[in-house]
Amino acid sequence: MPLLEVTDLRTTFHTRSGVYRAVDGVSFSLAKGETLGLVGESGSGKSVTCYSLMGLVPQPPGRIESGTAMFDGVDLLHCAPAQLRAIRGKRIAMIFQDPMTSLNPYLRISEQLIEPLLIHEKISKADALARGLAMLEAVGINDAGNRLHAYPHEFSGGMRQRVMIAMALITPPEILIADEPTTALDVTVQAQILELIKKLQNELGMAVIFVTHDLGVVSGLCDRVQVMYAGRIVETADTRTLFHAPRHPYTKALQRSIPSLQPKGRELYTIPGLPPDLSKPIAGCAFAPRCEFSTDYCRRTDPKLAAVTPTQATACLRVQNSEI
Amino acid sequence: MPPPILQLNDVKTHFPVESGFFRRQQTGTVKAVDGVSLTVARGEVLGLVGESGCGKSTLARTILQLVPTTAGTVILEGKNLTAASSAEILAARHDLQMVFQDPFASLNPRMTIFATLAEPLIVHRVVPREKVAERVALLMAKVGLSPQFMEKYPHEFSGGQRQRIAIARALALEPKVIIADEPVSALDVSIQAQILNLLSQLCREMNLALIFIAHDLSVVKHISDRVAVMYLGKIVELGPAAEVIERPRHPYTRALVSAIPTPNPEIERAKKRLVLAGDPPSPLNPPAGCAFHPRCSYAQEKCKLSVPPLIPAGPNREAACLRLDEIADQSGET
């Protein structure tokens, strides 16, 4: 039985300029200890998917239109607030993109770090501080004893992200949702943070949902990858298959536009056009207007995510009909 | 090799640090750029890489004379900009233009695209007033935007389109050198590819020299002819882009290259990663000797004592490391 089972999640934002379908029917499951990559460009709905699961979508303007997210018999999307609070921060934790703004600048690191423990466990402040200190050491902060009572501005970006990770893992959680945790960091610091997440995951045996737009990061870290486009999952496969045998035209196009693999001098492949406006109705496949393989049929018929091999599912009508 | 259009000789840009409330006193100096010598030829793309805070952007601002130079010279086509009057610098900007990182912040939200692109044409009297509209249309076409969008405002465009507008603005004066400071880091991969293609194509067509600043080595490798790696205000390695990135010599470049995640699961998982410990040191209080020695796995006693100069490290290549040859021996290279 999967640890987390999300079915038909739809999240919309009701704005003055229309109803924006940020997440439009997303279903997936996460096994115990698994690392799932969620990849897509800005506006594809990766972050809103995570925020919806954590109950962090501001309502209004946001609204969860449908769906269930079953975690240990509890539907995260429809349970009582108290029930969600007991899970969030204890059994499911999240780290955010920007370590500069996600710590409270007025509070010492120690207070922020042990807050989840004081809320979720019966523990004395001294014991909580001892665990906080151990956690800071585990995430590789030198001289943790002296740094424990420092303020966030005394830390660099990479250090702050380590503090965020320490805070998320202190309970320790069964699922860690990491929303672009390394995007704001330098490559050398990114490498440190990725190694750290891998190491702690092995030690704690937790499942990770890793949101990123960087296919390179996914390839080293994740067991399985889901590619999102316009609020939907267009392809999901184990990491090897996704990189070596992508089937959906969008996944292929995304890979071909990465510069690192192409020799210099050759034009990079570019995807023509722009992602669709999610506040307008989309007929057929959302990627069809930009897809080199699309036919009239694609523009009329809504594709569903369906298995093309036992380990790979693709939401492309022409792949499903074995035409491409 | 064609003669350089832009030449930097031992350029230093230092910022005083002051403290005290009633009596301001200088308590230190941030050596943001500390002795950089570089040349850029016509039509050449020079990539400039390094971590945040290494002085890449300050170097760009120094070249444009947007910050005062502490020492050294910036020579554009034989003219020394560091000793030039402000009128001469204004004239030099005709040949020297910049594209900034964030296309959401670098365009004036209250100006239409027409106004944004017409301004440099009018200020520098490039074309007579009645020809301005025609020229703006031409510029927009050149960067792949339809001239019918001329009367729109920046908020009506996507990030990639805005970056195209910023590039068109830089091209308006037909410069000889463009400095692009992280022009694609705010963009998605598919859009990033479009902008990279546009920049390479423009450089070829207009014989432009481009200084391309980025922290993403794979992007730099793709677009640049040569690459300069900066660490704490100094260039630590310089050479042909593919060579430097495929066979780095300086330990810092090695670490930087090994930190890039490869979009290939087998290679990525098999790779032995050189993870650098810690963060770059503060430029306010840099380590003695080689600034990289506290994070370097090859550092020895002598690295703490003397500052390594840039020395030849193969054909057209230079690196600043005291142990260059010894390290090459250790890793079994020739």
Side-chain angles (χ1 to χ4, degrees):
Chain A
M1 200 182 96
L3 188 58
L4 176 72
E5 177 97 60
V6 179
T7 319
D8 196 35
L9 172 65
R10 286 174 205 274
T11 307
T12 56
F13 289 90
H14 295 253
T15 64
R16 253 189 287 177
S17 52
V19 180
Y20 189 89
R21 296 180 312 279
V23 177
D24 195 14
V26 161
S27 304
F28 66 93
S29 63
L30 180 72
K32 202 166 177 296
E34 183 185 33
T35 309
L36 175 69
L38 213 52
V39 186
E41 296 182 85
S42 8
S44 61
K46 349 180 258 300
S47 293
V48 177
T49 302
C50 299
Y51 280 56
S52 305
L53 298 178
M54 295 292 276
L56 296 177
V57 172
Q59 306 191 32
R63 191 188 291 170
I64 310 270
E65 302 283 350
S66 75
T68 55
M70 298 308 291
F71 172 74
D72 196 15
V74 180
D75 180 359
L76 298 175
L77 302 179
H78 298 98
C79 65
Q83 224 173 350
L84 184 60
R85 280 200 301 271
I87 293 172
R88 185 172 59 194
K90 180 176 165 63
R91 302 180 65 190
I92 306 180
M94 184 157 176
I95 45 181
F96 300 89
Q97 176 172 159
D98 190 354
M100 297 299 167
T101 55
S102 41
L103 288 168
N104 186 333
Y106 287 112
L107 295 180
R108 293 176 192 277
I109 294 297
S110 52
E111 289 175 64
Q112 307 191 46
L113 190 58
I114 64 169
E115 198 184 8
L117 283 180
L118 297 179
I119 290 172
H120 292 294
E121 291 179 24
K122 272 205 165 115
I123 189 170
S124 74
K125 198 158 180 192
D127 291 346
L129 278 174
R131 267 176 64 187
L133 183 63
M135 204 61 223
L136 273 193
E137 280 166 357
V139 296
I141 289 186
N142 298 328
D143 196 15
N146 286 325
R147 308 284 276 169
L148 185 59
H149 296 290
Y151 286 95
H153 73 263
E154 298 173 64
F155 288 82
S156 69
M159 286 296 177
R160 283 185 225 191
Q161 198 57 290
R162 285 169 193 266
V163 172
M164 287 296 297
I165 293 173
M167 200 192 304
L169 301 187
I170 197 163
T171 46
E174 289 153 68
I175 301 176
L176 173 69
I177 300 179
D179 185 9
E180 307 234 13
T182 59
T183 308
L185 306 173
D186 274 316
V187 271
T188 54
V189 180
Q190 166 173 292
Q192 295 169 3
I193 298 290
L194 293 178
E195 292 291 323
L196 175 69
I197 292 178
K198 257 190 254 182
K199 183 183 129 228
L200 293 172
Q201 185 187 13
N202 281 337
E203 287 170 17
L204 303 172
M206 61 188 173
V208 176
I209 299 179
F210 197 96
V211 177
T212 179
H213 64 269
D214 187 338
L215 285 170
V217 169
V218 164
S219 78
L221 194 71
C222 300
D223 303 317
R224 204 153 54 86
V225 184
Q226 287 177 169
V227 182
M228 287 191 74
Y229 185 78
R232 294 180 177 195
I233 295 172
V234 294
E235 182 148 34
T236 170
D238 63 285
T239 309
R240 258 185 86 104
T241 312
L242 191 96
F243 279 90
H244 294 302
R247 298 294 300 275
H248 196 283
Y250 176 65
T251 316
K252 288 186 187 171
L254 211 53
Q255 281 195 357
R256 281 167 66 194
S257 51
I258 306 176
S260 63
L261 302 175
Q262 318 295 332
K264 173 172 162 63
R266 195 177 305 166
E267 285 255 296
L268 286 174
Y269 178 78
T270 59
I271 307 176
L274 294 170
D277 181 350
L278 296 179
S279 63
K280 303 214 166 67
I282 296 168
C285 172
F287 187 60
R290 303 174 76 188
C291 178
E292 54 182 313
F293 303 105
S294 63
T295 61
D296 281 346
Y297 181 56
C298 297
R299 289 185 204 97
R300 283 197 314 268
T301 319
D302 221 6
K304 297 270 176 293
L305 190 66
V308 286
T309 68
T311 58
Q312 186 170 21
T314 300
C316 173
L317 296 166
R318 301 203 63 197
V319 169
Q320 288 165 8
N321 293 340
S322 312
E323 289 169 6
I324 51 173
Chain B
M1 195 163 154
I5 182 152
L6 181 72
Q7 191 172 1
L8 312 185
N9 297 318
D10 201 24
V11 169
K12 291 184 181 167
T13 308
H14 296 177
F15 297 105
V17 178
E18 293 177 336
S19 61
F21 188 73
F22 293 110
R23 269 183 54 209
R24 306 286 295 171
Q25 276 182 327
Q26 189 178 340
T27 51
T29 311
V30 171
K31 297 178 177 172
V33 176
D34 197 22
V36 167
S37 300
L38 270 180
T39 58
V40 189
R42 289 212 80 144
E44 184 185 37
V45 182
L46 175 77
L48 196 59
V49 289
E51 289 170 277
S52 29
C54 74
K56 316 185 286 283
S57 298
T58 307
L59 183 61
R61 285 163 184 276
T62 307
I63 296 172
L64 283 156
Q65 299 296 304
L66 293 173
V67 290
T69 322
T70 310
T73 52
V74 176
I75 298 169
L76 177 72
E77 278 204 309
K79 185 185 278 286
N80 184 357
L81 297 184
T82 41
S85 66
S86 49
E88 285 174 315
I89 288 174
L90 187 67
R93 294 239 173 90
H94 204 120
D95 291 331
L96 197 55
Q97 285 287 314
M98 185 144 178
V99 177
F100 295 92
Q101 171 171 0
D102 187 354
F104 292 84
S106 66
L107 296 172
N108 187 334
R110 317 271 312 244
M111 279 164 83
T112 61
I113 303 316
F114 175 78
T116 300
L117 296 180
E119 193 179 34
L121 297 174
I122 294 166
V123 168
H124 285 270
R125 298 193 183 85
V126 178
V127 286
R129 289 244 172 194
E130 61 274 16
K131 291 264 175 84
V132 166
E134 193 184 309
R135 181 59 74 91
V136 168
L138 204 70
L139 281 170
M140 290 184 72
K142 198 165 216 159
V143 295
L145 288 173
S146 166
Q148 73 192 54
F149 297 139
M150 214 183 269
E151 292 304 326
K152 288 188 183 260
Y153 286 90
H155 73 265
E156 298 173 78
F157 292 92
S158 69
Q161 289 172 322
R162 284 187 224 202
Q163 202 56 295
R164 286 175 192 269
I165 296 164
I167 292 171
R169 180 176 57 183
L171 291 175
L173 298 176
E174 296 175 358
K176 295 177 178 125
V177 182
I178 287 188
I179 301 176
D181 189 0
E182 306 256 12
V184 297
S185 19
L187 306 174
D188 274 316
V189 220
S190 68
I191 310 297
Q192 177 178 308
Q194 296 175 8
I195 298 295
L196 289 176
N197 283 345
L198 174 68
L199 281 171
S200 341
Q201 176 213 332
L202 290 170
C203 285
R204 266 197 318 274
E205 282 176 11
M206 303 173 70
N207 203 19
L208 268 174
L210 173 68
I211 299 182
F212 187 93
I213 301 178
H215 63 269
D216 186 340
L217 277 173
S218 51
V219 169
V220 168
K221 180 185 163 196
H222 181 81
I223 195 169
S224 318
D225 300 310
R226 275 194 310 148
V227 58
V229 183
M230 273 186 89
Y231 190 75
L232 227 59
K234 289 192 168 66
I235 290 180
V236 295
E237 184 154 11
L238 180 68
E243 293 261 319
V244 169
I245 290 164
E246 277 157 24
R247 283 177 295 280
R249 298 288 311 271
H250 194 283
Y252 178 62
T253 320
R254 285 169 196 250
L256 214 51
V257 169
S258 98
I260 318 171
T262 334
N264 181 325
E266 277 78 41
I267 298 177
E268 181 64 17
R269 278 154 214 235
K271 187 157 79 178
K272 228 180 99 211
R273 209 183 274 287
L274 270 164
V275 178
L276 280 184
D279 295 305
S282 154
L284 187 58
N285 189 9
C290 172
F292 185 59
H293 85 255
R295 302 171 81 192
C296 179
S297 51
Y298 301 99
Q300 283 182 337
E301 208 47 45
K302 64 176 174 190
C303 302
K304 297 178 191 163
L305 300 174
S306 58
V307 180
L310 266 179
I311 52 168
N316 299 321
R317 291 186 63 174
E318 288 174 283
C321 176
L322 293 172
R323 303 197 58 210
L324 211 53
D325 294 327
E326 297 162 47
I327 295 171
D329 291 344
Q330 275 181 13
S331 44
E333 293 165 24
T334 46

